Amino acid sequence: MVTDSQGSREMAVKARSASRALQALRSEDRVAILNRIADSLEQHEQQIMAENAVDVAAAGGTISDSLLQRLVLKPNKIHQLADGIRAIAKQEEPVGRLLSRLEVAEGLVLDKVTSPIGVLLIKGGKEATRSNALLHQLIVDAVAEVAPGVGRDLIGLVTSRHEIDELLKLHDVIDLVIPRGSNQLVSYIQAHTKIPVLGHADGICHIYVDTAADPAKARRVCLDAKVDYPAACNAVEKILVHDSLVGEQLNSLVKALQDAGVTVHGGERAAAALGLPPAPSVRHEYSSLDVTVELVGGLGEAIDHIHTHGSGHTECIVTEDQAAADDFLRRVDSACVFHNASTRFSDGYRFGLGAEVGISTARIHARGPVGVEGLLTTRYLMRGTGQAVEKDKGVQYTFKPLPLS
Amino acid sequence: MVTDSQGSREMAVKARSASRALQALRSEDRVAILNRIADSLEQHEQQIMAENAVDVAAAGGTISDSLLQRLVLKPNKIHQLADGIRAIAKQEEPVGRLLSRLEVAEGLVLDKVTSPIGVLLIKGGKEATRSNALLHQLIVDAVAEVAPGVGRDLIGLVTSRHEIDELLKLHDVIDLVIPRGSNQLVSYIQAHTKIPVLGHADGICHIYVDTAADPAKARRVCLDAKVDYPAACNAVEKILVHDSLVGEQLNSLVKALQDAGVTVHGGERAAAALGLPPAPSVRHEYSSLDVTVELVGGLGEAIDHIHTHGSGHTECIVTEDQAAADDFLRRVDSACVFHNASTRFSDGYRFGLGAEVGISTARIHARGPVGVEGLLTTRYLMRGTGQAVEKDKGVQYTFKPLPLS
């Protein structure tokens, strides 16, 4: 248990040291650790479910229903989690992968290889304290059992808000923060640390229904993007409609949403034109069965609106006009930009990444849905035979790309 | 001229808006802008040299000789700069490059493409104020001439320390800070912003001379790494020597360094064993013709020493023992790790990157010497025909990688 700033620093420094020991293991040993963790989770399924039940009971009444739903472990969840870990164990070794190879000069070769990013601070909600403590214990037990040289310091367990605040100051020893929880949690962390944060506070996704939209596709995409999981960050919050569609086509889209239980609010122009209740603000994340509809004069205005009021998460155009689609995909400056597909596809699993670490709306490092690749950095390795630079006269530069095999 | 925080924000917001217009241009138009800039630099060479001379005269006596030397524009420099810009214009278009393509489901394809990182804050030393102002004018003139729709707001000119402080607060509109200047400048910026900083404050590079080192290679690599350009961040600051080499082999290495004008300091063990003057600290960046020599008991101790006292920039092992070299390259957790090559090779030009933006010792985003690639992020583009997620039952996932052509 860590209680002061010195202790927090020590926890992070020990984690880095253990992570280097982990990196120095043979690939087979890291695979063995992952499989041991998967087995252990399944062996302790009943205990994990029991701790989760205690967490859920304690949280009842203190958090929203949708957060409570996210806290409850579904019956098959532990088995799925174990399978996910086994799938990662079967993947190609992510560490030390050769990304490029260049002959710099005769007998002097430069490789770029993947490398673990370092020390992560992963912060979930305090509502999962009991289940997290048990999961932590099972995982470090598995590590210590398979690789005693790595040891239990690989993963520290943070139990108090005070410790989190201390850890958020350690930008010299922690490389990345991954908050998992409410928008408020993410915003708090972003405001209180200089460590890069992988994640997003807002998910204000837009769909632009173009003048050349297929009405059936527009209806299908807009409905799914709102109704499939309204609290998700990739749910649509604003539908921008080309004003040429005012009349039957727009009315039928609004009616389809209303029939599905969605409360349709109007942006400034749409509220006036259609008599809809006004939206609370021009940039509003409902996270519920509510959506804003607004009118725009065309593609350029839609893109400007998205750039001004969006959160850079996921935006979609519905159109049969290929040139308009190409323009939208080229110009919209968000992590994910779609043509004729629901914004709900913006997700690590649906992007084929396997386990999802988070969705980033930051523009450096990983962006969009992030899988294991987002936890990697690179190193340059150079192999020579005693070469010196000598004012760039020591070698004759060739800069010849070499095959990766 | 920007004078208040509102003005700084406006400058950054306008730069992002102009950068989006730049991104929306055809590739040929961006090439034309670069070539226009190169031509203009050459046409105004005399004026640039004159402004630089004024800067140099004003700085004389206020900064160190080595910084003053870096401030002086060498006779051929403008021509080299113009050629470098033309070389970038000839490179393959970096924006919109396809990195991966995946069939998510039938008729639903996900692309990952490169995209500009966004708004950069580049901060040089105040000593170059006059030359920077002229360069800024020439560049925005060229942009406005070739692409009036992008305009002069693409690049703001920051003239006061107050403005820098205001801009460093704008982590919501500025994506990356690139400081070019002294260690003090970089440290100041890192301490005063939450915007990611591309760069490094320290360059404390190590060479480990293994028991199986070829003495001639050790001498050549160590000498070059210190003498070629002692003020560079990739110059060696500490040479770790296997203690089995104490005696003639180490003495001859120390003598070679001393003969080249290097003052050799001793770490704790080496100072006692060899009677060398003690090093000022265990982690010291001389940036001059000084170096620390220290004894270590073996490879593992050398790696631990580097991890404990290094800055993660560049480290080298000199050895003929292939297994020791492989171990060092696999385990040392620095941006650049070399075998039998001078640390001075750690440089964008020598790594074949073309123009160097900086050298990063951060572990997220770009690491090591950074070229144009370090100024890119990615976007995901998805093209469908109206697909919906519908609790993951709306499509049948195939996750089939597709060729990039």
Side-chain angles (χ1 to χ4, degrees):
Chain A
M1 169 78 98
V2 175
T3 51
D4 56 15
S5 66
Q6 199 50 45
S8 297
R9 174 169 292 273
E10 199 180 313
M11 181 198 274
V13 168
K14 280 184 175 172
R16 184 178 303 279
S17 174
S19 78
R20 284 169 174 154
L22 182 70
Q23 183 183 348
L25 291 182
R26 294 171 311 155
S27 189
E28 307 90 273
D29 295 327
R30 282 193 294 270
V31 166
I33 292 175
L34 288 172
N35 286 326
R36 183 75 200 88
I37 291 171
D39 293 347
S40 179
L41 290 177
E42 289 184 334
Q43 287 156 12
H44 295 84
E45 182 177 3
Q46 286 195 327
Q47 291 97 312
I48 298 168
M49 299 301 283
E51 292 300 294
N52 176 248
V54 177
D55 279 336
V56 169
T62 70
I63 56 176
S64 72
D65 271 6
S66 72
L67 272 180
L68 198 64
Q69 282 313 307
R70 284 172 64 182
L71 185 61
V72 176
L73 281 177
K74 310 293 175 295
N76 205 32
K77 186 70 192 179
I78 297 299
H79 181 62
Q80 282 174 7
L81 188 60
D83 270 359
I85 293 169
R86 290 191 188 102
I88 292 173
K90 274 185 202 138
Q91 279 174 10
E92 193 196 349
E93 167 69 73
V95 172
R97 199 151 36 85
L98 184 61
L99 301 176
S100 69
R101 174 166 281 178
L102 182 76
E103 183 197 85
V104 169
E106 203 190 315
L108 189 64
V109 173
L110 180 70
D111 285 354
K112 188 174 187 177
V113 301
T114 56
S115 198
I117 205 166
V119 179
L120 308 175
L121 174 60
I122 300 173
K123 169 75 181 113
K126 64 178 181 312
E127 296 76 15
T129 299
R130 300 268 306 227
S131 356
N132 278 344
L134 178 56
L135 291 172
H136 172 261
Q137 186 201 315
L138 296 177
I139 293 169
V140 295
D141 281 351
V143 171
E145 191 184 314
V146 180
V150 175
R152 306 179 61 91
D153 290 334
L154 183 67
I155 310 172
L157 179 65
V158 183
T159 50
S160 76
R161 174 66 168 268
H162 174 69
E163 276 176 277
I164 283 288
D165 288 340
E166 290 298 329
L167 288 162
L168 289 174
K169 294 176 192 161
L170 302 180
H171 53 90
D172 56 332
V173 276
I174 297 177
D175 299 297
L176 190 64
V177 183
I178 304 178
R180 301 289 315 198
S182 64
N183 296 10
Q184 288 71 29
L185 174 74
V186 179
S187 297
Y188 176 84
I189 285 181
Q190 285 173 336
H192 289 83
T193 190
K194 300 173 74 150
I195 307 169
V197 178
L198 193 156
H200 61 278
D202 306 323
I204 304 177
C205 303
H206 293 75
I207 296 172
Y208 166 56
V209 180
D210 185 45
T211 184
D214 174 325
K217 287 181 187 167
R219 199 160 46 238
R220 182 167 158 80
V221 166
C222 290
L223 267 179
D224 186 70
K226 184 75 255 183
V227 174
D228 190 54
Y229 187 0
C233 61
N234 56 18
V236 68
E237 304 294 353
K238 191 182 269 183
I239 300 170
L240 301 170
V241 180
H242 193 286
D243 54 18
S244 67
L245 304 182
V246 170
E248 195 192 318
Q249 213 170 322
L250 176 52
N251 291 344
S252 104
L253 176 62
V254 168
K255 182 161 188 315
L257 286 161
Q258 289 168 334
D259 287 350
V262 178
T263 303
V264 179
H265 306 255
E268 205 173 316
R269 285 188 61 197
L274 309 180
L276 291 167
S281 77
V282 72
R283 179 195 164 98
H284 197 78
E285 185 169 9
Y286 295 102
S287 302
S288 57
L289 275 175
D290 294 77
V291 75
T292 302
V293 166
E294 179 56 309
L295 301 176
V296 291
L299 180 70
E301 195 183 322
I303 293 174
D304 287 346
H305 190 106
I306 289 167
H307 285 161
T308 307
H309 303 297
S311 64
H313 192 297
T314 300
E315 334 292 345
C316 169
I317 182 172
V318 181
T319 188
E320 297 301 299
D321 174 348
Q322 192 57 48
D326 289 346
D327 217 26
F328 189 86
L329 263 60
R330 191 164 52 90
R331 287 171 59 195
V332 171
D333 191 16
S334 294
C336 305
V337 193
F338 294 175
H339 173 213
N340 285 352
S342 167
T343 56
R344 288 276 298 137
F345 280 107
S346 187
D347 167 276
Y349 168 72
R350 293 172 200 127
F351 276 17
L353 300 175
E356 182 186 283
V357 174
I359 298 185
S360 173
T361 55
R363 303 174 65 97
I364 72 154
H365 199 63
R367 191 181 190 202
V370 177
V372 171
E373 293 236 342
L375 303 183
L376 297 173
T377 178
T378 59
R379 293 183 304 143
Y380 280 109
L381 307 180
M382 187 177 252
R383 293 174 173 93
T385 54
Q387 282 85 349
V389 166
E390 292 171 346
K391 316 274 180 219
D392 289 315
K393 288 170 191 127
V395 298
Q396 191 164 356
Y397 293 99
T398 53
F399 298 137
K400 191 165 71 182
L402 298 176
L404 295 188
S405 59
Chain B
M1 169 77 96
V2 175
T3 50
D4 55 17
S5 64
Q6 200 48 45
S8 297
R9 175 170 291 274
E10 198 180 315
M11 180 197 275
V13 169
K14 281 185 174 171
R16 183 177 305 278
S17 173
S19 78
R20 285 171 173 154
L22 181 70
Q23 183 185 348
L25 290 182
R26 294 172 311 156
S27 189
E28 307 90 272
D29 294 328
R30 282 193 293 270
V31 166
I33 291 174
L34 288 172
N35 287 326
R36 183 74 200 90
I37 291 170
D39 293 347
S40 179
L41 290 177
E42 288 185 335
Q43 285 156 12
H44 295 85
E45 180 176 5
Q46 286 194 327
Q47 290 98 308
I48 298 168
M49 298 302 282
E51 292 299 294
N52 177 246
V54 177
D55 279 336
V56 171
T62 69
I63 55 175
S64 72
D65 271 7
S66 73
L67 273 179
L68 198 63
Q69 283 313 306
R70 284 172 66 181
L71 185 61
V72 176
L73 281 177
K74 311 295 175 296
N76 206 33
K77 186 69 192 180
I78 297 298
H79 180 62
Q80 282 175 8
L81 188 60
D83 269 359
I85 293 169
R86 290 191 187 101
I88 293 173
K90 275 186 201 138
Q91 281 174 10
E92 192 198 348
E93 168 68 72
V95 172
R97 200 151 37 83
L98 183 61
L99 301 176
S100 70
R101 174 165 281 178
L102 181 76
E103 184 198 85
V104 169
E106 205 190 313
L108 189 63
V109 174
L110 180 70
D111 285 354
K112 189 174 185 177
V113 301
T114 58
S115 196
I117 204 164
V119 179
L120 308 175
L121 174 61
I122 300 173
K123 169 75 181 111
K126 64 178 183 310
E127 296 77 13
T129 300
R130 300 268 305 227
S131 356
N132 278 343
L134 178 55
L135 291 172
H136 173 260
Q137 186 201 315
L138 296 176
I139 293 168
V140 294
D141 282 352
V143 171
E145 193 184 314
V146 180
V150 175
R152 306 178 61 91
D153 290 334
L154 184 67
I155 311 172
L157 179 66
V158 182
T159 51
S160 76
R161 172 67 167 270
H162 173 69
E163 274 174 279
I164 284 288
D165 288 340
E166 290 298 329
L167 288 163
L168 288 175
K169 294 175 193 162
L170 303 180
H171 53 91
D172 56 332
V173 275
I174 297 177
D175 300 298
L176 190 65
V177 184
I178 305 178
R180 301 289 313 198
S182 63
N183 296 9
Q184 288 72 29
L185 174 73
V186 178
S187 297
Y188 176 84
I189 285 181
Q190 286 174 335
H192 289 83
T193 190
K194 299 173 75 148
I195 307 169
V197 179
L198 194 155
H200 60 279
D202 307 322
I204 304 177
C205 302
H206 293 76
I207 296 173
Y208 166 57
V209 181
D210 184 46
T211 183
D214 174 326
K217 287 181 188 167
R219 199 160 47 237
R220 183 167 156 78
V221 166
C222 290
L223 268 177
D224 186 71
K226 184 76 251 184
V227 174
D228 190 55
Y229 187 0
C233 61
N234 56 17
V236 67
E237 304 294 353
K238 191 181 271 183
I239 300 171
L240 301 170
V241 180
H242 193 285
D243 54 19
S244 68
L245 304 181
V246 170
E248 196 192 317
Q249 214 172 320
L250 176 53
N251 291 343
S252 105
L253 175 62
V254 169
K255 185 165 186 311
L257 286 161
Q258 289 168 336
D259 287 352
V262 178
T263 304
V264 179
H265 306 256
E268 205 172 315
R269 286 187 61 194
L274 308 179
L276 291 166
S281 76
V282 73
R283 178 194 164 99
H284 197 79
E285 184 167 12
Y286 294 102
S287 302
S288 58
L289 275 175
D290 294 76
V291 77
T292 301
V293 167
E294 180 55 308
L295 301 175
V296 290
L299 180 69
E301 195 183 322
I303 293 174
D304 286 346
H305 190 106
I306 288 167
H307 285 161
T308 308
H309 303 297
S311 65
H313 191 296
T314 300
E315 333 292 344
C316 168
I317 183 172
V318 181
T319 189
E320 299 302 299
D321 175 347
Q322 192 58 49
D326 289 345
D327 217 28
F328 190 86
L329 264 61
R330 190 165 52 91
R331 287 173 57 195
V332 172
D333 190 17
S334 294
C336 305
V337 192
F338 294 176
H339 174 212
N340 286 349
S342 167
T343 56
R344 287 276 297 135
F345 280 105
S346 186
D347 167 275
Y349 168 71
R350 293 172 200 127
F351 276 17
L353 301 176
E356 181 186 283
V357 173
I359 298 185
S360 172
T361 56
R363 303 173 66 98
I364 70 152
H365 199 63
R367 192 181 188 201
V370 178
V372 171
E373 293 236 342
L375 303 183
L376 297 174
T377 180
T378 58
R379 292 183 304 142
Y380 280 108
L381 307 180
M382 187 176 251
R383 294 174 173 92
T385 54
Q387 282 86 350
V389 166
E390 292 172 347
K391 316 274 181 218
D392 289 316
K393 289 169 190 128
V395 298
Q396 188 163 358
Y397 293 100
T398 54
F399 298 139
K400 191 164 73 181
L402 298 176
L404 295 187
S405 59

